[in-house]
Amino acid sequence: DFALSEEQEMLRKSARDFLTAHCPKSVVREIEESDAGYSTDLWRKMADLGWLGLNLPEEYGGAGLSLLDLAVLFEEFGRAALHGPMSCTMVLGALPVMDYGDGPQREGILPEVARGKMILTMAVSEANASEEPRFSATRAASEKNNLFLTGTKLFVPYAHVADKILTLARTEGNPGDSDGLTLFILDRDQPGVSLSPMVNIAADRKFEMRLERVPAGKDIIGARHAAMPVVRSTLEKAAAIQCAEMVGGAQQELEITAEHARTRVQFDRPLGSFQAVQHRLADMFIDVNGARWVTYQAIWRLSEGLPAEREVSIAKAFTNLACLRVAGSAQQLHGGIGVDKAYDLHFYFRRAKAFELSLGGTYHHLQTLEAELAQQPRAH
């Protein structure tokens, strides 16, 4: 039963009310055109509301809520088309620290995240390791008992404002080996770290991060040479939460388009009175709700600590395609204004296309699902 609890309904309503009041599309446009790529004012307000520590333990200043609660919040972020380092901080950064970090790391990082004083991100992707982290070639070489990182990471979200960057590097073995990878905690301003912006269709901030003999130190998440379980678990959760964000955007597109069909008059009758338009709206409705169902199924399993690789791949593969169909139908039913940047639909189409290709594209998740189904059936 994926019906929202009373507390989750309250969270959704308060998030929607807040974002409607403080994040109209005029603000989204300002954010897209800004250097930072996010609103520091909204960031402070979200911290004051407790959102940035929503799923962190209470002992570290969080609210102690679940991944399902986080999904409700991110669905509203998607509905508002809000850009910012929320996902990279709250999911890619804070979750591995919470789940795999040691006591000092949790105490030093998580309260700062909850207060909005620290932004985190994760650097995993490379030219030959965009969807399979085990092919990472960034190397941690030992010199006189010190480690130095050399390599290039791609599509690192909000690296320019991150205080700490969780960086995957190879400490032994060769690209393709599942073992031999270590997740280091780097400061953004460490010597040898350089960033170059990577412009993308969604207008959120992604960066190429070059590492030239960067002193790595001994601050790592999890065990040395054994980062793959940490990275895989984190990326699974990030992909599922991104699906919730995509569903929020698709829901908003559906509502905008349904309202347009009710009020737009063509040939002396409402656009929505034409059967072909009704069929297209029905298809959009099915896609939105189908994507929501498989998304929350995956997130529920993750919240319960159950195996969820299959469900995450189903959710990401289906949601990728469903949200693109919804975006395309919304634009077609609007006609010319559907692709006018003065109108709001382009925000959602651009985000849906960018999200389709991040945290595992459709083909990658279909391959993962194929491999999962080829194995012995799993007990439910």
Side-chain angles (χ1 to χ4, degrees):
D1 180 4
F2 301 123
L4 299 185
S5 67
E6 182 178 351
E7 292 79 9
Q8 288 167 341
E9 285 285 5
M10 290 173 61
L11 173 63
R12 182 173 69 173
K13 184 180 186 305
S14 64
R16 187 170 300 182
D17 290 346
F18 174 86
L19 292 169
T20 299
H22 297 279
C23 189
K25 290 301 181 290
S26 59
V27 170
V28 175
R29 288 180 168 85
E30 290 174 5
I31 290 172
E32 287 198 354
E33 295 168 2
S34 69
D35 292 333
Y38 79 110
S39 167
T40 55
D41 180 56
L42 280 177
W43 189 257
R44 286 192 297 269
K45 290 175 179 176
M46 287 192 288
D48 292 341
L49 289 168
W51 290 358
L52 302 183
L54 192 73
N55 63 322
L56 300 181
E58 293 181 10
E59 63 189 289
Y60 299 117
L65 300 183
S66 71
L67 202 66
L68 272 172
D69 300 304
L70 197 63
V72 172
L73 179 61
F74 270 84
E75 189 172 334
E76 293 305 313
F77 288 155
R79 184 184 181 92
L82 175 61
H83 294 297
M86 290 82 69
S87 180
C88 63
T89 296
M90 300 163 69
V91 184
L92 292 174
L95 286 186
V97 174
M98 181 176 74
D99 293 338
Y100 297 94
D102 58 28
Q105 288 168 340
R106 294 191 188 104
E107 292 167 4
I109 293 175
L110 298 183
E112 295 297 292
V113 169
R115 287 196 291 265
K117 301 297 184 181
M118 183 179 289
I119 293 175
L120 307 175
T121 192
M122 179 180 279
V124 173
S125 294
E126 299 181 12
N128 294 317
S130 61
E131 295 180 324
E132 281 291 347
R134 63 189 176 90
F135 287 102
S136 294
T138 294
R139 181 72 59 174
S142 180
E143 298 180 22
K144 298 179 179 179
N145 296 322
N146 294 313
L147 285 176
F148 295 89
L149 303 186
T150 299
T152 301
K153 295 294 185 181
L154 302 177
F155 307 109
V156 184
Y158 290 89
H160 65 311
V161 294
D163 298 287
K164 295 187 180 295
I165 303 174
L166 278 59
T167 305
L168 188 67
R170 186 162 292 284
T171 43
E172 65 178 19
N174 299 302
D177 295 342
S178 293
D179 296 326
L181 290 163
T182 302
L183 192 61
F184 294 90
I185 302 178
L186 302 181
D187 293 330
R188 183 189 74 241
D189 55 0
Q190 278 186 233
V193 176
S194 61
L195 302 173
S196 301
M198 302 180 71
V199 179
N200 71 87
I201 190 173
D204 58 346
R205 299 303 191 265
K206 300 285 177 66
F207 286 81
E208 176 186 88
M209 184 173 78
R210 293 181 179 272
L211 305 168
E212 296 289 346
R213 296 190 75 254
V214 177
K218 297 181 180 179
D219 202 4
I220 65 173
I221 298 292
R224 188 171 179 179
H225 312 316
M228 278 303 294
V230 180
V231 172
R232 287 200 183 281
S233 171
T234 303
L235 293 181
E236 273 190 358
K237 293 172 183 175
I241 291 295
Q242 186 182 81
C243 286
E245 194 170 356
M246 295 169 71
V247 167
Q251 178 68 48
Q252 181 70 347
E253 288 176 293
L254 172 61
E255 293 177 14
I256 291 172
T257 306
E259 179 63 21
H260 175 75
R262 280 192 292 269
T263 57
R264 172 67 171 170
V265 175
Q266 291 282 91
F267 306 107
D268 298 323
R269 54 192 284 196
L271 184 65
S273 67
F274 292 94
Q275 190 176 59
V277 173
Q278 295 169 5
H279 286 176
R280 183 64 66 91
L281 286 168
D283 289 338
M284 293 170 68
F285 179 84
I286 291 169
D287 272 335
V288 170
N289 284 279
R292 180 178 285 111
W293 198 93
V294 295
T295 291
Y296 279 86
Q297 181 189 38
I299 294 172
W300 175 80
R301 290 189 69 91
L302 290 168
S303 296
E304 295 295 311
L306 298 171
E309 185 178 30
R310 179 188 303 181
E311 285 74 18
V312 170
S313 287
I314 291 171
K316 190 63 164 67
F318 182 82
T319 302
N320 283 347
L321 297 176
C323 289
L324 284 175
R325 286 194 296 264
V326 170
S329 293
Q331 289 179 316
Q332 286 189 337
L333 290 178
H334 276 80
I337 62 170
V339 293
D340 189 336
K341 293 193 74 171
Y343 201 60
D344 291 346
L345 281 179
H346 69 92
F347 291 111
Y348 300 101
F349 171 81
R350 291 189 287 112
R351 287 164 63 87
K353 187 61 186 176
F355 284 166
E356 178 208 8
L357 302 173
S358 67
L359 296 170
T362 304
Y363 182 67
H364 167 75
H365 282 286
L366 290 175
Q367 283 187 310
T368 301
L369 183 59
E370 177 186 3
E372 168 76 14
L373 293 174
Q375 298 174 2
Q376 189 71 17
R378 185 182 66 203
H380 291 275

